[in-house]
Amino acid sequence: MDKKNNDLDKFLKFLSGKTKSTASTEENAGDNVVKMSKKSPMNPKKYISLTVTLTVIFAIGVIIFANIYIVKESEYVVVRQFGEVVKFEREPGLKMKVPFIQSVTRLPKNQMTYEISEEEINTKDKKRIIIDNYAVWRITDPKLLISNAGTIEKVESRMEEFIYSVIRTELGQIKYEDIISDKDSQRGGINDRVTKRVNQLLSDDKYGIEVVDVRIRRIDLPTVNEQSVFKNMVSERESMAQQYLSEGDAAKRRMEAQADREVQEMLATANKDAAMIQAEGEAEAAKIYNKSFSQDPEFYSLYRTLESYKKTVGEETVIILPSTSPYAKILSGYLE
């Protein structure tokens, strides 16, 4: 029993570092005990101090690295202290903040696109339409954005409210036919007007953002109204087609009347010219006849008499003439 207790004490001392095995051993004939040489005990305070030092160094390194931040070229970094904005960084580079007191918020510097929810509005003629649009915007003052809106999500929500309000006001002053018309109408320039008005509202509330452009992507009708509006559009287009046909027929009749008038004028001019030419020809022929017949008046008289026979004497012509008439003598063959 004593031997076992002895061995246990030696083993415990060995674990605590107070004893080490000696270079030589002696055998005891009675209890066969192994004798251990004694050395100076190890000091645990050294290890504790080293551990604490390394832990502190590690903690300081973690704190330092945790409070170093990098500002990228494409972003703003806003530094807040107890929730209040103390500064914001525009230039890229390696920056440092106060540990445990300050925090950083990153905001994009480039332009962003925001898809606005579809909304129903009323036109000037009380027709409901669905507007689908989007906005391109950017941050101009990160400090104002954080101070007055807090987050990008909140400022986008406010921007959407402004855009919807302005578009509803603008389209509420335009008739549905003018909105969907392909021709130039009152719809022209609405995107520019909406953009300008929204920027004014955002500037008044000092949200630190600017809307670059607002665009209407699509204009639709509510499902319940599509069929009736479609029928109305078909009826209007048919009416327009009939109007175009009527205008075409009227233009055709005007052109035909104009052509007939021009033809009549041309024929009248031609007949007048022909009559003048014929009269000139007859006059010229009469001059030639007179010149020819003046050379032999008796022959001319005979010729004229014979020509008159052609017109006065027919197959059933009855002529009563005195026997002494020159005309009767000629008919009788008496030329003397």
Side-chain angles (χ1 to χ4, degrees):
M1 190 68 177
D2 293 337
K3 183 179 180 182
K4 290 181 179 180
N5 291 335
N6 237 342
D7 292 339
L8 182 58
D9 290 339
K10 290 179 180 180
F11 180 71
L12 292 175
K13 289 179 179 180
F14 177 76
L15 290 179
S16 63
K18 291 183 178 180
T19 60
K20 291 185 179 179
S21 59
T22 57
S24 60
T25 60
E26 293 179 4
E27 293 183 355
N28 192 323
D31 52 7
N32 199 20
V33 177
V34 178
K35 294 182 179 179
M36 306 293 291
S37 63
K38 293 183 180 181
K39 284 189 176 181
S40 60
M42 294 181 64
N43 187 2
K45 292 182 179 180
K46 286 184 179 182
Y47 296 99
I48 294 173
S49 177
L50 179 61
T51 302
V52 170
T53 302
L54 292 176
T55 303
V56 171
I57 293 173
F58 178 75
I60 293 173
V62 169
I63 293 172
I64 292 174
F65 282 106
N67 290 278
I68 293 176
Y69 61 93
I70 298 174
V71 180
K72 297 180 181 178
E73 184 71 29
S74 61
E75 67 181 7
Y76 300 110
V77 173
V78 179
V79 180
R80 289 190 285 188
Q81 183 171 313
F82 301 115
E84 182 181 355
V85 177
V86 293
K87 66 176 178 178
F88 67 91
E89 303 289 350
R90 293 177 179 269
E91 300 300 326
L94 190 66
K95 311 292 180 179
M96 185 77 177
K97 65 181 180 67
V98 178
F100 307 111
I101 298 177
Q102 295 180 341
S103 61
V104 297
T105 302
R106 300 180 183 274
L107 299 173
K109 189 183 294 185
N110 54 310
Q111 293 184 356
M112 293 166 283
T113 301
Y114 181 68
E115 300 289 336
I116 301 173
S117 304
E118 294 182 355
E119 296 287 349
E120 287 191 9
I121 66 171
N122 289 327
T123 60
K124 185 177 182 180
D125 49 355
K126 305 304 179 184
K127 292 184 178 179
R128 298 191 65 80
I129 57 176
I130 299 175
I131 299 296
D132 179 19
N133 52 8
Y134 68 93
V136 179
W137 66 284
R138 62 188 180 90
I139 299 172
T140 57
D141 194 329
K143 186 175 181 179
L144 287 179
L145 187 149
I146 296 299
S147 300
N148 298 325
T151 62
I152 289 181
E153 289 75 15
K154 290 182 179 179
V155 81
E156 285 181 334
S157 177
R158 292 296 296 158
M159 178 180 64
E160 181 176 0
E161 292 176 5
F162 289 149
I163 291 174
Y164 171 66
S165 175
V166 175
I167 288 180
R168 181 178 58 188
T169 302
E170 289 289 338
L171 295 184
Q173 301 174 1
I174 306 175
K175 292 183 179 180
Y176 177 75
E177 290 77 7
D178 294 330
I179 293 176
I180 65 174
S181 176
D182 293 334
K183 299 179 180 179
D184 294 336
S185 64
Q186 300 179 28
R187 187 182 60 177
I190 187 173
N191 293 325
D192 296 335
R193 295 197 300 271
V194 170
T195 302
K196 182 178 179 180
R197 178 58 181 158
V198 169
N199 279 326
Q200 183 179 352
L201 294 173
L202 291 170
S203 177
D204 292 342
D205 288 353
K206 297 181 180 180
Y207 282 115
I209 67 171
E210 177 190 12
V211 175
V212 179
D213 194 13
V214 176
R215 289 287 165 181
I216 297 176
R217 180 187 293 112
R218 190 176 72 254
I219 299 177
D220 290 332
L221 290 168
T223 306
V224 294
N225 297 339
E226 282 184 355
Q227 196 62 29
S228 61
V229 173
F230 177 72
K231 291 180 179 178
N232 291 337
M233 291 176 64
V234 171
S235 177
E236 290 175 0
R237 295 302 182 271
E238 289 177 350
S239 176
M240 292 176 62
Q242 187 61 40
Q243 181 181 354
Y244 291 150
L245 289 174
S246 300
E247 292 176 355
D249 290 338
K252 174 187 173 183
R253 288 192 292 270
R254 287 196 299 270
M255 293 173 67
E256 288 178 347
Q258 179 69 20
D260 291 341
R261 185 167 57 254
E262 291 177 357
V263 168
Q264 293 299 326
E265 291 176 356
M266 292 174 66
L267 289 175
T269 302
N271 291 331
K272 179 181 177 181
D273 293 341
M276 292 179 64
I277 293 171
Q278 185 176 359
E280 292 175 356
E282 290 177 352
E284 186 68 23
K287 288 180 181 179
I288 295 172
Y289 287 145
N290 290 333
K291 183 178 181 181
S292 299
F293 292 141
S294 63
Q295 297 178 5
D296 191 348
E298 294 181 357
F299 176 77
Y300 176 70
S301 177
L302 177 61
Y303 176 78
R304 293 289 293 175
T305 302
L306 293 177
E307 285 293 324
S308 66
Y309 291 165
K310 293 180 182 180
K311 297 179 179 179
T312 59
V313 180
E315 295 179 358
E316 298 179 356
T317 303
V318 177
I319 301 175
I320 299 174
L321 297 172
S323 58
T324 59
S325 171
Y327 195 65
K329 290 180 180 181
I330 293 174
L331 290 176
S332 302
Y334 294 101
L335 298 176
E336 294 181 1

